Amino acid sequence: MSGTPEDDPQKTVFMPISDGTTGLPRGGTNAPPTQFAPRAPQVTIQVGDVLNHIFEVRRFIARGGMGEVFEGVNVTSDERVAIKVILPALAADPDVTGMFRKEARTLTGLRHDALVQYRVLAQEPQLGVLYIVTEYIDGLNLSHELGRIEAGANDLLALLRRLAQGLQAAHRLGAIHRDISPDNVLLEGGRLSQAKIIDFGIAKDISPGSATIVGDGFAGKLNYVAPEQLGDYGRDIGPWTDIYSLGLVVLAIAQGRDVSMGGSLVDAVNKRRAVPDLASVPEPLRLLLTGMLQPDPAKRLRSMDAVLAQVEAIEVKLRPTAVVAPQTGASGLPAGMKWGAAGLALVLVAGAGFWLMRPAGHSGVPVVSGTGSPADLARSTIDSVLPSVGCTWLQITDITPGPRGPNVKLAGVAGNPAAAQNEISQALAQHHIQEASIDFGDVAQITQSGCSALDTYRQVRAPDSHQLTVPQRKFAMRMQPNDPSQTGYPGEKAANIVLQLAIDDPKADFALIGLEPSGLISPEFSGPGTGVLGRDALKKLATETHIVTDRGNDHYQMQLDVNHTGWSGVLLLTGKGPFEKDVIAPPIGQRGPDWTTHFVSEAAARGWQAQMVWFKTVEEGSQ
């Protein structure tokens, strides 16, 4: 459902019409009591009400078939929110409220930059109204912008990837949208690169026997629904249903107007007997949209994973990458790495890992702040787009003003560095930063096996990376002393990597995971309850060896030895333990949608957040 403020028709606020009851307190201990005037039956909330002593209703936005939408504010945090009040007739039906609550368990667990964020569903005890709270988004409705958007093949691919990744996250949690249309895509800040899917109010749990507010019948706008939603093909509803609708949204953007797939119900059914005319779609995307818009669900692309694989293949064709993969051993995995400590003998699969060594006394990687407004704008633009760039983990390491535009340096990994760099360039261009210099020299290419891990971890990416840092991105290989107590590689060449860890919360559990571009991931320090090193063991290392330094206030410094050249990474997970190995780091071959669903579910329940750093080991004297 959407609403348009009367005082600003270009701004819209969207409120998903789903449910979710986790419950809110009926009043904080410091919240002043709020008096409510008696309301007649069937009357909803009013501007000025404070719901549960937490959410103040500021402004009416819109009314729809299932409720009303208001702008509000969390009085304890000053966060602007959108408040959707369920119509009294629906709220009085226990079957409906039961389905709202069931759906909330999914929707409040969704964490993706392309999806509107649900906060909570609650009931105001004095008014008796049932309401939902989501993030408040200022933006333009895509349906209003169809004729104004100029989108080429790269723009359409970037949008398709972003929205498909958002829906992929929803599908992995067992919910499909069933109403993907331009009306339900919001362009935050008016930018195509910041598109968000909203209004999951008719999302359907795809587990057997499930139902939603609208049951198993028709849901969605006639122009954009899939054939099976109109009764064809045995009403076979699933992820492929969202794929069909998403294909029509891309077609609408390409042709600059709504698709003509509606009319009467009979007309809508007949128009879906064949793939619609795709002449307005850029040639590189036609084959993909043909697969997305097959009338028969059995012949259509069946998952967002399949859609994204084709998107990546098209991007590779349009922008072939010249990035050389890191040096590997005969097995295809990076040659000999160890992560352990003297006397602990932690040996990992395939001989991969690190060896913790003496701290070198370095601080974290500095990030140079832009000194001019173009650099500042570039930083904020890139930070906003990075969470949505598929198969990447990138971070800005430096921004400096240049003669024609800011110079931006990034580090990390990407499945397709050229495509990722192009997406960042497009985002900057939309902010009229046309001549920024983007340096991907410290970005390594990761395999498809690594992509599944990156895309899963990125769903819980922390807003910053101050808890995990390295002093530099490149470390030289040098001969190590011939003393097993001082090095994991006595008498051999190895690089000494310094790692800074600043948990800042002794009550928080954490896990450290080693990563390789090949896709290998291995948990090391974690706890409690995993059978590998936890905080207590880390503190013990700090008191008994030189490999870890406890700097106080839950800050640690350690050194890792790596005996091969190439890229390596470390992931920090913080939150409530335990961090079981099969949840945080399953082996290659066991990282399908089921793992992602399990990981995201555990992360949501335990408040996990992820941070990551990547570094490169090089031969001494190399740049």
Side-chain angles (χ1 to χ4, degrees):
M1 178 175 178
S2 66
T4 303
E6 296 176 356
D7 58 344
D8 187 355
Q10 292 299 310
K11 297 287 187 178
T12 53
V13 180
F14 293 89
M15 180 68 186
I17 182 146
S18 144
D19 130 277
T21 292
T22 60
L24 284 175
R26 298 197 172 189
T29 56
N30 297 322
T34 303
Q35 300 299 322
F36 297 95
R39 303 287 169 84
Q42 306 300 307
V43 174
T44 183
I45 65 175
Q46 299 174 2
V47 173
D49 288 340
V50 181
L51 310 180
N52 295 84
H53 300 302
I54 297 176
F55 300 105
E56 180 182 349
V57 182
R58 291 285 179 87
R59 179 170 62 93
F60 172 78
I61 295 173
R63 181 174 292 105
M66 302 189 72
E68 295 178 327
V69 182
F70 295 82
E71 178 187 346
V73 64
N74 183 323
V75 297
T76 63
S77 66
D78 290 329
E79 179 196 16
R80 294 171 75 191
V81 296
I83 302 170
K84 170 89 178 217
V85 183
I86 309 302
L87 291 177
L90 290 174
D93 186 337
D95 292 333
V96 171
T97 56
M99 286 184 285
F100 275 147
R101 291 181 171 89
K102 183 175 184 292
E103 194 171 0
R105 286 194 292 271
T106 295
L107 295 174
T108 56
L110 287 177
R111 295 289 189 278
H112 196 280
D113 193 54
L115 304 177
V116 70
Q117 179 60 59
Y118 284 71
R119 297 287 188 255
V120 72
L121 177 140
Q123 187 163 21
E124 215 301 315
Q126 292 180 297
L127 298 179
V129 296
L130 189 67
Y131 64 96
I132 306 168
V133 177
T134 69
E135 64 176 322
Y136 180 99
I137 302 171
D138 278 329
L140 303 178
N141 188 301
L142 177 59
S143 65
H144 299 157
E145 302 300 306
L146 287 178
R148 307 174 189 175
I149 295 174
E150 295 183 5
N154 288 332
D155 302 306
L156 293 174
L157 280 169
L159 175 73
L160 180 55
R161 186 196 322 107
R162 177 179 173 85
L163 298 185
Q165 287 174 339
L167 290 168
Q168 179 188 54
H171 294 170
R172 285 173 172 172
L173 288 183
I176 56 176
H177 191 289
R178 298 206 305 168
D179 193 17
I180 298 299
S181 67
D183 283 345
N184 283 333
V185 176
L186 183 67
L187 306 182
E188 188 173 8
R191 303 189 300 274
L192 201 63
S193 63
Q194 295 301 299
K196 282 183 180 284
I197 296 171
I198 54 90
D199 208 350
F200 268 79
I202 56 173
K204 178 182 183 297
D205 188 323
I206 59 177
S207 58
S210 65
T212 60
I213 301 162
V214 294
D216 292 319
F218 168 77
K221 298 168 182 65
L222 201 57
N223 253 356
Y224 291 90
V225 295
E228 58 269 24
Q229 291 177 275
L230 301 177
D232 273 359
Y233 304 102
R235 299 183 183 273
D236 184 18
I237 307 294
W240 47 88
T241 304
D242 285 347
I243 289 174
Y244 188 94
S245 298
L246 182 57
L248 289 182
V249 169
V250 174
L251 173 59
I253 298 172
Q255 66 185 20
R257 65 182 185 279
D258 269 315
V259 296
S260 180
M261 300 287 285
S264 68
L265 184 59
V266 173
D267 287 340
V269 171
N270 288 334
K271 288 174 179 175
R272 285 161 175 76
R273 299 296 187 193
V275 175
D277 183 7
L278 301 179
S280 60
V281 177
E283 191 278 332
L285 278 78
R286 289 179 194 166
L287 184 60
L288 171 55
L289 258 64
T290 298
M292 296 175 69
L293 293 171
Q294 288 295 316
D296 186 348
K299 298 178 181 178
R300 195 181 307 154
L301 291 176
R302 298 287 286 178
S303 70
M304 288 300 170
D305 289 12
V307 172
L308 289 167
Q310 291 204 21
V311 168
E312 181 175 352
I314 296 171
E315 290 174 334
V316 169
K317 276 187 179 179
L318 293 180
R319 297 174 297 278
T321 179
V323 175
V324 179
Q327 176 183 332
T328 59
S331 66
L333 296 176
M337 293 177 58
K338 296 180 182 177
W339 185 339
L344 294 176
L346 293 181
V347 181
L348 305 181
V349 295
F354 301 94
W355 190 280
L356 294 172
M357 283 309 301
R358 181 179 307 148
H362 296 287
S363 60
V365 176
V367 176
V368 179
S369 299
T371 57
S373 71
D376 292 337
L377 180 57
R379 180 185 297 280
S380 62
T381 299
I382 294 173
D383 282 341
S384 68
V385 76
L386 285 182
S388 65
V389 182
C391 190
T392 64
W393 195 289
L394 302 170
Q395 64 188 85
I396 299 170
T397 59
D398 192 14
I399 293 185
T400 56
R404 306 182 67 180
N407 301 313
V408 183
K409 193 169 185 178
L410 294 102
V413 289
N416 186 338
Q421 187 171 358
N422 182 71
E423 186 167 349
I424 293 170
S425 296
Q426 288 181 354
L428 291 172
Q430 289 184 350
H431 285 82
H432 308 292
I433 308 175
Q434 303 287 352
E435 299 190 31
S437 172
I438 301 177
D439 184 351
F440 260 45
D442 286 343
V443 175
Q445 187 172 16
I446 196 167
T447 66
Q448 190 59 44
S449 297
C451 284
S452 63
L454 282 186
D455 287 338
T456 298
Y457 295 142
R458 202 174 62 251
Q459 295 190 47
V460 294
R461 180 169 179 166
D464 57 52
S465 58
H466 73 278
Q467 291 178 304
L468 180 67
T469 56
V470 288
Q472 59 201 58
R473 296 294 165 184
K474 293 183 181 179
F475 296 86
M477 304 278 290
R478 296 186 176 90
M479 289 300 298
Q480 300 297 302
N482 195 18
D483 183 353
S485 66
Q486 296 296 313
T487 178
Y489 303 101
E492 300 178 35
K493 272 191 173 183
N496 309 126
I497 289 85
V498 177
L499 188 67
Q500 302 280 351
L501 194 60
I503 304 299
D504 292 325
D505 183 2
K507 296 181 180 178
D509 300 319
F510 68 88
L512 281 174
I513 299 172
L515 306 102
E516 295 298 328
S518 64
L520 182 69
I521 53 178
S522 303
E524 288 313 316
F525 288 97
S526 62
T530 64
V532 295
L533 294 177
R535 179 183 266 104
D536 290 343
L538 188 64
K539 286 182 173 293
K540 185 176 181 181
L541 286 174
T543 58
E544 297 180 356
T545 74
H546 295 289
I547 61 179
V548 175
T549 298
D550 185 347
R551 297 193 161 201
N553 298 321
D554 218 24
H555 287 215
Y556 306 91
Q557 183 170 280
M558 59 192 75
Q559 187 169 311
L560 297 74
D561 276 1
V562 179
N563 78 334
H564 68 85
T565 58
W567 288 91
S568 302
V570 177
L571 172 74
L572 170 67
L573 283 175
T574 57
K576 183 178 180 181
F579 300 92
E580 301 294 345
K581 287 185 179 180
D582 62 339
V583 177
I584 64 174
I588 294 175
Q590 298 181 23
R591 302 180 197 160
D594 289 344
W595 170 58
T596 299
T597 299
H598 191 189
F599 177 89
V600 172
S601 176
E602 287 292 304
R606 299 177 182 275
W608 292 352
Q609 287 194 325
Q611 299 176 37
M612 193 182 297
V613 294
W614 287 84
F615 49 85
K616 186 178 185 180
T617 53
V618 298
E619 292 293 344
E620 193 167 10
S622 299
Q623 297 299 319

